[in-house]
Amino acid sequence: AVVSTQSTGCKGVESSGKVVYFTATFPYVLLVVLFFRGVTLPGAGQGVLYYVTPKWEQLKNPTVWRTAATQIFYSLGISFGSVVAYSSYNKRNNDCIKDGVIVTLINCGTSIFGGFVIFSLLGYRAHKQDVSFDDLKSGPGLAFIAITDAISVMGVGPLWSILFFFMLFLLGLDSQFGMLESLLTSVRDEIPILNKIRKEIVSGTICVVLAIAAIPMAFSGGLYILDLLDNWSLSYPLLIIALFEIIVVAWVYGGKRFAKDIKDMIGYEPPLYFTICWMFVCPAVIIILILSGIVLSAMEGYPLYDKFVGCDNATLAAQGLPEEANDSWVVADSYPGGLVGLIIIFNMMSCFMIPGYFIYYYRNHIRGYLKL
């Protein structure tokens, strides 16, 4: 993955744009193939029914709303900088309103369609192995355990496994292209001396550093590190970054001024709906999600993880665990408070940079311009 990302992203959008024609479209082919294979399996209807049956009581759970917001942020690239980095290469008169609507509809439509694929396979797994849907958990366990179990008992299992994980690999590459371009663009813009160095060297260095930083997740305890980062680094920081971004655009720069700039570029102002969302709806929703999530986290205590305890009864008794724990192999346990605090500090560092950099940039660049 590191080699693929570096070899493709080293030339910037000139090379990654061409590669994305394949990496972004071929997963749709695989998704359609897996869909028609999945819905023809026994038990697929049960899985699809579970997928489309709403649980209205979950609408009262703020964690559901925060998780949904995090997911849509991640799938659309909001708050990561990749959208801004790629859009900076567009022509000035490019219709960004139309592009934004089309990309959002395609993204959400793909997610819904992908849900039918996944739950048809999970329905087959439930039918074949007599397991409950309520035991399923999101995260790596869903892709690498539940789905793998379902594919392994299908006819020509190795073929479907290769197709499924090749699709995941391509989707991961697409995400990495955007992340690398975002980081590469910002680093070269803020450190002009790097522009004198070949882009391949700068991007290669970034890829190597990030690959080294990810090595601990490949160790035996790496799944716990991944779980902490997945639960914390992709929730509150994304929401906080988005909140600062929208406040700066809608209130510091001005929502009406921003709408006029768009009109100057594409020939028409965005609908009033967008301006209202920028200035009022989105900030209010994000603030509510952040505050409710913090209050709920404080009430629930430290996050839980699956602690492996599958062993003989004597060992379970020595640890003060019930014998029933041996049946499930894992029990829910809380992460140590010190580790949680360290993860929070690391993740919040990206948020603390926002007001600090804003103060620096405002004092040196923006103050005089806003007085015009």
Side-chain angles (χ1 to χ4, degrees), residues 88-100:
S88 65
Y89 295 97
N90 281 334
K91 296 179 180 179
R92 189 175 185 276
N93 61 348
N94 180 71
D95 195 338
C96 55
I97 298 293
K98 182 182 70 175
D99 288 351

Side-chain angles (χ1 to χ4, degrees), residues 221-348:
L223 187 61
Y224 300 115
I225 301 177
L226 176 62
D227 181 62
L228 274 175
L229 293 176
D230 185 46
N231 288 333
W232 291 87
S233 64
L234 291 180
S235 54
Y236 294 109
L238 282 182
L239 294 174
I240 293 174
I241 291 172
L243 179 62
F244 276 108
E245 286 182 351
I246 202 164
I247 288 177
V248 168
V249 172
W251 291 99
V252 177
Y253 184 76
K256 294 182 179 179
R257 178 186 293 181
F258 185 60
K260 290 181 180 179
D261 289 342
I262 294 178
K263 180 182 179 180
D264 183 53
M265 291 187 294
I266 65 177
Y268 64 93
E269 285 192 13
L272 182 61
Y273 165 79
F274 285 93
T275 305
I276 293 176
C277 287
W278 294 335
M279 300 188 67
F280 304 106
V281 178
C282 291
V285 171
I286 294 176
I287 291 174
I288 292 174
L289 289 176
I290 294 174
L291 294 180
S292 61
I294 293 175
V295 171
L296 188 63
S297 298
M299 295 174 59
E300 293 179 347
Y302 295 137
L304 302 177
Y305 72 100
D306 289 334
K307 181 178 181 180
F308 178 79
V309 294
C311 49
D312 57 86
N313 293 335
T315 304
L316 292 174
Q319 296 182 4
L321 298 171
E323 294 184 2
E324 292 78 7
N326 193 30
D327 298 331
S328 62
W329 296 92
V330 294
V331 294
D333 198 3
S334 299
Y335 280 109
L339 179 59
V340 174
L342 184 63
I343 291 296
I344 293 176
I345 291 175
F346 279 137
N347 289 330
M348 289 296 107

Side-chain angles (χ1 to χ4, degrees), residues 28-359:
Y28 282 96
V29 177
L30 299 179
L31 204 61
V32 171
V33 172
L34 289 172
F35 170 77
F36 284 107
R37 181 67 182 105
V39 296
T40 58
L41 295 171
Q46 179 185 359
V48 171
L49 182 62
Y50 182 86
Y51 172 56
V52 299
T53 302
K55 295 183 178 180
W56 301 110
E57 66 276 5
Q58 292 296 324
L59 294 177
K60 299 182 295 184
N61 186 356
T63 302
V64 173
W65 291 94
R66 180 167 53 86
T67 304
T70 301
Q71 174 59 33
I72 202 67
F73 275 35
Y74 186 81
S75 60
L76 284 174
I78 303 174
S79 297
F80 287 100
S82 54
V83 176
V84 177
Y86 275 123
S87 63
S88 65
Y89 295 97
N90 281 334
K91 296 179 180 179
R92 189 175 185 276
N93 61 348
N94 180 71
D95 195 338
C96 55
I97 298 293
K98 182 182 70 175
D99 288 351
V101 173
I102 292 175
V103 169
T104 302
L105 292 177
I106 293 177
N107 173 78
C108 296
T110 302
S111 299
I112 295 173
F113 180 69
F116 284 98
V117 177
I118 296 301
F119 277 89
S120 64
L121 296 176
L122 294 178
Y124 175 67
R125 172 179 179 263
H127 172 79
K128 197 77 174 180
Q129 301 181 359
D130 193 24
V131 294
S132 173
F133 287 102
D134 295 329
D135 297 332
L136 295 175
K137 295 183 179 180
S138 61
L142 181 62
F144 295 104
I145 298 178
I147 299 298
T148 305
D149 284 346
I151 294 177
S152 64
V153 293
M154 291 169 55
V156 201
L159 173 62
W160 297 111
S161 297
I162 292 174
L163 292 177
F164 178 76
F165 285 105
F166 183 58
M167 180 181 70
L168 292 185
F169 176 73
L170 293 180
L171 295 175
L173 280 184
D174 281 338
S175 299
Q176 290 303 311
F177 293 155
M179 303 294 180
L180 176 62
E181 186 62 34
S182 172
L183 186 56
L184 188 60
T185 301
S186 59
V187 168
R188 288 167 65 90
D189 287 346
E190 294 300 323
I191 310 177
I193 193 174
L194 294 179
N195 293 316
K196 300 179 181 180
I197 305 175
R198 293 182 59 181
K199 195 172 184 179
E200 296 88 338
I201 298 177
V202 179
S203 62
T205 303
I206 293 175
C207 289
V208 171
V209 171
L210 294 179
I212 294 174
I215 288 179
M217 283 183 256
F219 295 151
S220 57
L223 187 61
Y224 300 115
I225 301 177
L226 176 62
D227 181 62
L228 274 175
L229 293 176
D230 185 46
N231 288 333
W232 291 87
S233 64
L234 291 180
S235 54
Y236 294 109
L238 282 182
L239 294 174
I240 293 174
I241 291 172
L243 179 62
F244 276 108
E245 286 182 351
I246 202 164
I247 288 177
V248 168
V249 172
W251 291 99
V252 177
Y253 184 76
K256 294 182 179 179
R257 178 186 293 181
F258 185 60
K260 290 181 180 179
D261 289 342
I262 294 178
K263 180 182 179 180
D264 183 53
M265 291 187 294
I266 65 177
Y268 64 93
E269 285 192 13
L272 182 61
Y273 165 79
F274 285 93
T275 305
I276 293 176
C277 287
W278 294 335
M279 300 188 67
F280 304 106
V281 178
C282 291
V285 171
I286 294 176
I287 291 174
I288 292 174
L289 289 176
I290 294 174
L291 294 180
S292 61
I294 293 175
V295 171
L296 188 63
S297 298
M299 295 174 59
E300 293 179 347
Y302 295 137
L304 302 177
Y305 72 100
D306 289 334
K307 181 178 181 180
F308 178 79
V309 294
C311 49
D312 57 86
N313 293 335
T315 304
L316 292 174
Q319 296 182 4
L321 298 171
E323 294 184 2
E324 292 78 7
N326 193 30
D327 298 331
S328 62
W329 296 92
V330 294
V331 294
D333 198 3
S334 299
Y335 280 109
L339 179 59
V340 174
L342 184 63
I343 291 296
I344 293 176
I345 291 175
F346 279 137
N347 289 330
M348 289 296 107
M349 287 176 62
S350 60
C351 300
F352 296 150
M353 293 291 291
I354 299 173
Y357 186 79
F358 173 74
I359 293 173

